[in-house]
Amino acid sequence: MNTEKRILASRANGARSRGPITPAGKARSRSAIRSHRLAAANVLSNESSTAFFTLLGHHYNCLVPTNDLECAMIEEMVSAYWRMRRGWAIENSLLESATADQPDGPELLRISQANGELSSNQQVIALRREETRLHRVYQRALHNLFLVRKLESNAGAHNSPVSNIPTEIPDPTEPTEPN
């Protein structure tokens, strides 16, 4: 338990702090703020932020972002995937509940009948539509990540400076030579 003296000393030390000074410290601070905001925007109070950051870490380890733009694309992918998984959990819960309401019989038949009833449920229709949208968000962000990397690698491959000499525009009134 903190004593009054310790609390006052902590406040005094905090007041003297000017924040991170080194580029690495500043980057770490930005990353912590961004991560906190990312979790706050995606993780519900009854969900595990540890699981969310584990998922984010797996994506970072697999895709190895090299700049803030790539980090943002990966974060968009993880956000979409996290929300898609939440939708799956909701749909599974609805299916289990509907299955429990079915009359006794073979389990597969009960699940099939419950699924048939749920297929016209507006909540399930909306969940499946949202899943499709989130899947597109994920795929688009992944595609854009690879596109940015390709553009960056192509830009690096052209070590020659860009020419600002205009190319000759052919005169449309002159006949052209056949190929």
Side-chain angles (χ1 to χ4, degrees), residues 54-175:
T54 299
L55 181 64
L56 182 62
H58 287 313
H59 277 74
Y60 276 156
N61 290 338
C62 182
L63 298 169
V64 191
T66 59
N67 56 42
D68 284 344
L69 178 63
E70 290 186 1
C71 286
M73 290 177 190
I74 292 171
E75 290 167 0
E76 183 177 3
M77 291 169 56
V78 171
S79 174
Y81 188 69
W82 183 262
R83 293 184 340 233
M84 198 166 30
R85 285 175 31 171
R86 182 185 299 134
W88 296 339
I90 293 168
E91 188 175 348
N92 281 343
S93 176
L94 291 171
L95 184 58
E96 285 179 3
S97 177
T99 301
D101 294 341
Q102 296 301 315
D104 288 340
E107 191 65 16
L108 188 56
L109 179 62
R110 295 175 70 225
I111 293 171
S112 175
Q113 289 171 338
N115 190 52
E117 290 175 9
L118 286 177
S119 64
S120 61
N121 179 313
Q122 289 302 310
Q123 184 180 12
V124 173
I125 291 170
L127 279 170
R128 292 177 179 165
R129 188 178 309 121
E130 180 69 359
E131 178 185 356
T132 301
R133 186 188 73 79
L134 291 169
H135 186 264
R136 281 195 313 265
V137 168
Y138 185 96
Q139 292 298 320
R140 189 177 303 124
L142 182 62
H143 173 78
N144 288 341
L145 175 68
F146 291 142
L147 184 64
V148 164
R149 287 182 176 174
K150 184 176 180 181
L151 292 173
E152 288 172 349
S153 70
N154 287 345
H158 301 298
N159 290 329
S160 62
V162 177
S163 173
N164 63 356
I165 301 171
T167 57
E168 187 175 325
I169 299 173
D171 184 356
T173 59
E174 292 182 19

